[in-house]
Amino acid sequence: VIQLGQPEHSVITTCAYCGVGCGFKAEMKGTQVVRMVPWKDGKANEGHSCVKGRFAWGYATHADRITKPMIRASIQDPWQEVSWEVALAHAASEFRRIQAKHGKDSIGGITSSRCTNEETYLVQKLVRAAFGNNNVDTCARVCHSPTGYGLGQTLGTSAGTQTFKSVEHADVVMVIGANPSDAHPVFASRLKKRLRGDGKRPGARLIVVDPRRIDLVKTPHVQAAHHLQLKPGTNVAVISALAHVIVTEGLVNEAYVAERCDTKSFNEWRAFVARPENSPEALEAASGVPAAEVRAAARLYATGGNAAIYYGLGVTEHSQGSTMVMGIANLAMATGNVGREGVGVNPLRGQNNVQGSCDMGSFPHELPGYRHVSDSTVRAQFEAAWGVAIDPEPGLRIPNMFDAALTGSFKGLYCEGEDIVQSDPNTQHVAAALMAMECVVVQDIFLNETAKYAHVFLPGSSFLEKDGTFTNAERRISRVRKVMPPLAGYADWEVTVKLSEALGYPMPYSMPEEIMAEIAALTPTFAGVSYAKIERLGSVQWPCNETTDEAGTAIMHVDKFVRGKGRFIITQYLPTDEKVTRRFPLLLTTGRILSQYNVGAQTRRTPNNEWHSEDRLEIHPHDAEERGIRQNDWVGIQSRAGETVLRATLTERVQPGVVYTTFHFPESGANVITTDNSDWATNCPEYKVTAVQVMPVQQP
Ligand code: SF4
């Protein structure tokens, strides 16, 4: 713990790490943070916190912070510090030069789920109004884009249905492809409390669907009733088998379906999942999960009382990520488990503002509020407010930008708060795309891996240096409050405003509150949101308009689904193209560890790094023995995309045939080995399934 003396005052703000969105009191001495204390009135955390939010904030003043804008003619040249005016004018003139030479669609922007709602809104506005195209995307592309698609198609809104607190009313909890103990620790504590039970109620029964034996499977006082330890890449086989049991054993909630759901789509789905090829027995070989275990889990989910599903990136980051999200929604609707306390479909968002970055229209096909750019009525609303014409054609997704760069039609990128080189799959492909561009502008707090390929570096600001809002995984909008002045002179939102002005499209904001007022006026899901209301209530959950409680909507789809009738979608299991072979006989899957966060840029520069200071490869002792690998040995991991070297941890957390690693350290290069395979609907990368070979190597 960093001790800086006694605090003089405190400021309430929101953790900038995971999608739980814990409230914190930053205790200050002058402009220095003395400590971060979990806020007891924070609705998402109620005074609890984890090792990241509590202790990993010192990165904000780390010596590695870049506080001066820099430019260079080519990536081989050294950086040259320049004034803000010079850097912004240079970036703007390069973007305009590229557009004059290669067309208006030759540039685009990427924003991050680490940015505030206001910052993300401004990036998409800059791209649409100043660049004149829809080439804007967010890093939610590579994590929860299938959630947006899948829940939108089935339930009608691209968001989780409950509050975190709602789990206290659950009788059965199914955790699919998520490891809350490491990635969402404060929610994990709440969940474990419910699983343990108390004097008044027995604990909820737990079903875990995960290729790894995660902490929740068996931890002190908590033991999963069922662990469906599937092979990576077979989620849809498991959800189909669960649905088969529910349909063929008469476990459908017929009254709920008749009243709440679209009958035609339900009947088609029912007939589909009832087919013999969708039975647990037929799918056992593909999924690796014993049929009897699937049958028992399905019965428990359908008949055990209030049943809630929580899922993570182990659902979305697959070639069938969107299919699986829809499969989860089908299961919840068929059993009547949407629309009240203790049930629901709940995506656990990885980063602090994944929900918000999606809400803010930082997608190439959607304006804020999930409205398609081809909708002329919606466009007209924004055109009137912004005073520009908006392109009706969807723009490029992040992977499409890379592909277009390599074919020569995409030449300039504005990238705010996202390290695409370290976090996106197939690093070689990303790096080659960036090298093919004529102007890459990176806005970040550190000279990250992506900045190695940049021509302009605009210093960003940490969450302690700016005002704004984050939206957590339960649609809760909370304030981020400035506790110290931006080290580089400007907060991120101001940099975007100044870049837009340099491009000839002035944006008239003097404070983030004005940006939120515009968002609320133009975005139905944010109607009624204001800083004044958040100040008064602590936080609000969208939707929070005149038809809802003042603090918004804790539970979605109570009387009817947002889309009207809930829609079932047929979810056919299709094996991934990523096959094991004799050359690549193991399946690699990836995840996170408790003390580190995402690409590690923040947590690696805090005391948390002393706890876990490297990415490791988990390998089952049988697979290790076959290869002559001992505990802590260095191993080479080779895939069809590339190769890297890590130290091995022999553990039975992974099953034979499966290996596992994290991607927190750039030197490990986990994404050197992940491939370009992606979700069919959204292009979310298939991080969770890569065929590899692992062999012992000498220490590098
Ligand atoms: Fe809360 Fe997540 Fe921050 Fe931990 S990392 S304090 S769980 S918001």
Side-chain angles (χ1 to χ4, degrees):
V1 181
I2 301 169
Q3 292 292 355
L4 296 172
Q6 287 307 307
E8 294 163 345
H9 67 284
S10 62
V11 179
I12 301 297
T13 191
T14 304
C15 179
Y17 286 117
C18 86
V20 175
C22 297
F24 273 89
K25 198 195 283 185
E27 293 193 338
M28 307 293 301
K29 187 172 186 186
T31 58
Q32 277 195 311
V33 178
V34 175
R35 58 183 165 252
M36 296 292 277
V37 179
W39 185 33
K40 68 176 174 32
D41 294 331
K43 299 258 181 2
N45 57 317
E46 296 181 330
H48 295 274
S49 68
C50 83
V51 68
K52 287 187 278 272
R54 185 84 192 256
F55 301 120
W57 42 268
Y59 69 87
T61 50
H62 194 277
D64 290 350
R65 281 289 301 270
I66 305 290
T67 56
K68 295 272 189 304
M70 302 188 294
I71 60 173
R72 57 183 174 181
S74 82
I75 63 170
Q76 283 78 37
D77 293 326
W79 286 109
Q80 185 194 346
E81 286 184 4
V82 293
S83 67
W84 275 106
E85 290 69 28
V86 168
L88 291 162
H90 179 68
S93 94
E94 278 295 279
F95 284 144
R96 289 298 185 225
R97 179 189 65 75
I98 290 168
Q99 284 188 303
K101 190 170 156 199
H102 301 284
K104 80 172 171 51
D105 296 334
S106 58
I107 63 174
I110 295 174
T111 177
S112 167
S113 299
R114 288 191 281 278
C115 297
T116 63
N117 287 317
E118 293 77 0
E119 290 160 358
T120 297
Y121 177 84
L122 289 191
V123 171
Q124 62 85 34
K125 181 173 178 177
L126 175 134
V127 168
R128 293 192 159 109
F131 288 1
N133 61 46
N134 287 306
N135 291 335
V136 62
D137 212 348
T138 159
C139 66
R141 171 71 51 212
V142 301
C143 67
H144 266 288
S145 51
T147 288
Y149 180 84
L151 296 187
Q153 290 288 313
T154 48
L155 310 183
T157 190
S158 302
T161 61
Q162 315 292 119
T163 56
F164 290 124
K165 199 173 173 57
S166 172
V167 79
E168 293 169 9
H169 300 269
D171 301 303
V172 177
V173 178
M174 191 183 310
V175 175
I176 311 178
N179 185 5
S181 306
D182 280 357
H184 304 90
V186 167
F187 170 68
S189 301
R190 204 188 276 268
L191 170 60
K192 285 177 187 171
K193 193 170 164 213
R194 178 65 202 108
L195 295 172
R196 284 195 296 271
D198 54 31
K200 293 184 216 135
R201 281 177 86 196
R205 311 288 305 281
L206 174 67
I207 301 163
V208 172
V209 183
D210 202 290
R212 274 175 90 229
R213 206 188 61 210
I214 58 170
D215 167 72
L216 279 179
V217 172
K218 193 172 186 326
T219 185
H221 313 295
V222 170
Q223 177 150 14
H226 304 284
H227 177 202
L228 310 186
Q229 193 170 16
L230 73 176
K231 293 178 191 167
T234 64
N235 279 332
V236 177
V238 171
I239 209 80
S240 297
L242 289 167
H244 177 92
V245 177
I246 284 164
V247 161
T248 58
E249 295 192 5
L251 304 178
V252 168
N253 186 333
E254 301 284 354
Y256 179 95
V257 171
E259 185 194 336
R260 302 283 310 268
C261 302
D262 169 61
T263 312
K264 180 170 176 289
S265 67
F266 171 71
N267 287 335
E268 288 167 358
W269 174 79
R270 185 205 295 256
F272 170 76
V273 295
R275 289 186 199 161
E277 66 261 32
N278 287 321
S279 72
E281 290 73 20
L283 290 166
E284 181 173 316
S287 70
V289 185
E293 197 75 16
V294 174
R295 285 192 178 275
R299 290 168 192 145
L300 176 60
Y301 176 75
T303 65
N306 287 340
I309 296 178
Y310 292 84
Y311 72 86
L313 303 179
V315 161
T316 55
E317 292 178 342
H318 287 274
S319 59
Q320 286 199 290
S322 292
T323 314
M324 182 61 181
V325 172
M326 295 188 290
I328 288 171
N330 291 339
L331 209 67
M333 289 189 291
T335 52
N337 278 312
V338 185
R340 64 179 188 280
E341 287 281 18
V343 299
V345 176
N346 302 287
L348 294 171
R349 310 292 195 154
Q351 299 189 44
N352 50 327
N353 202 31
V354 175
Q355 182 67 56
S357 77
C358 299
D359 298 339
M360 291 300 102
S362 55
F363 282 136
H365 66 299
E366 283 175 340
L367 285 155
Y370 305 96
R371 290 164 303 158
H372 205 276
V373 290
S374 62
D375 185 328
S376 57
T377 310
V378 175
R379 269 201 329 278
Q381 204 189 344
F382 284 89
E383 288 171 344
W386 295 352
V388 292
I390 294 173
D391 191 335
E393 289 298 318
L396 299 173
R397 297 169 173 175
I398 292 172
N400 305 139
M401 292 180 195
F402 300 151
D403 294 343
L406 290 169
T407 55
S409 59
F410 190 83
K411 294 288 186 182
L413 179 66
Y414 172 47
C415 184
E416 179 178 332
E418 183 58 15
D419 191 354
I420 47 180
V421 169
Q422 193 182 335
S423 62
D424 285 36
N426 196 347
T427 307
Q428 307 72 249
H429 184 72
V430 180
L434 291 172
M435 283 192 282
M437 295 182 199
E438 293 177 11
C439 181
V440 175
V441 177
V442 166
Q443 183 173 320
D444 208 285
I445 58 176
F446 298 116
L447 220 39
N448 60 17
E449 295 299 295
T450 306
K452 290 178 179 166
Y453 303 91
H455 306 89
V456 179
F457 186 87
L458 304 175
S461 43
S462 74
F463 79 115
L464 296 172
E465 298 155 61
K466 57 197 178 190
D467 281 304
T469 54
F470 292 149
T471 309
N472 77 353
E474 45 174 20
R475 295 168 278 102
R476 184 181 302 285
I477 306 162
S478 303
R479 277 295 313 275
V480 179
R481 292 184 177 86
K482 184 162 88 172
V483 302
M484 59 197 235
L487 297 191
Y490 294 126
D492 284 301
W493 68 270
E494 293 173 287
V495 177
T496 306
V497 165
K498 288 186 176 299
L499 178 60
S500 192
E501 193 176 336
L503 284 158
Y505 181 77
M507 293 188 187
Y509 311 109
S510 58
M511 61 180 81
E513 187 170 6
E514 295 168 1
I515 307 168
M516 178 52 78
E518 182 175 313
I519 294 168
L522 291 171
T523 313
T525 41
F526 269 59
V529 177
S530 70
Y531 279 23
K533 193 187 266 188
I534 298 173
E535 200 69 44
R536 199 167 63 250
L537 301 171
S539 60
V540 296
Q541 278 178 287
W542 70 253
C544 68
N545 50 44
E546 63 282 358
T547 68
T548 70
D549 286 350
E550 193 186 19
T553 307
I555 301 174
M556 299 287 286
H557 318 293
V558 171
D559 297 318
K560 65 174 190 170
F561 288 98
V562 169
R563 71 176 303 281
K565 296 278 187 186
R567 178 179 169 214
F568 286 79
I569 309 258
I570 287 178
T571 55
Q572 169 123 39
Y573 167 58
L574 297 172
T576 167
D577 289 342
E578 186 67 5
K579 309 276 189 237
V580 291
T581 59
R582 273 203 309 193
R583 187 167 167 221
F584 302 112
L586 303 171
L587 283 179
L588 171 81
T589 188
T590 60
R592 285 138 176 83
I593 47 176
L594 173 61
S595 59
Q596 298 284 355
Y597 174 76
N598 205 269
V599 294
Q602 295 145 286
T603 45
R604 280 188 278 112
R605 294 179 170 97
T606 71
N608 278 23
N609 206 47
E610 289 164 27
W611 190 1
H612 282 115
S613 54
E614 62 179 343
D615 293 318
R616 289 282 195 125
L617 185 85
E618 290 188 0
I619 184 168
H620 192 277
H622 292 169
D623 292 325
E625 189 180 0
E626 258 180 23
R627 291 164 173 77
I629 296 167
R630 292 158 308 168
Q631 194 72 267
N632 300 325
D633 275 358
W634 288 93
V635 292
I637 307 138
Q638 195 176 48
S639 75
R640 294 178 179 95
E643 55 191 312
T644 191
V645 174
L646 296 174
R647 281 201 298 161
T649 296
L650 276 56
T651 172
E652 293 186 358
R653 274 194 297 272
V654 289
Q655 55 191 298
V658 175
V659 289
Y660 168 86
T661 191
T662 51
F663 67 106
H664 302 301
F665 294 85
E667 56 273 20
S668 309
N671 282 320
V672 169
I673 38 184
T674 52
T675 71
D676 290 329
N677 296 337
S678 66
D679 174 47
W680 62 272
T682 67
N683 281 134
C684 182
E686 193 179 37
Y687 290 111
K688 301 296 183 186
V689 193
T690 307
V692 296
Q693 178 57 291
V694 177
M695 297 304 276
V697 295
Q698 293 297 315
Q699 179 171 356

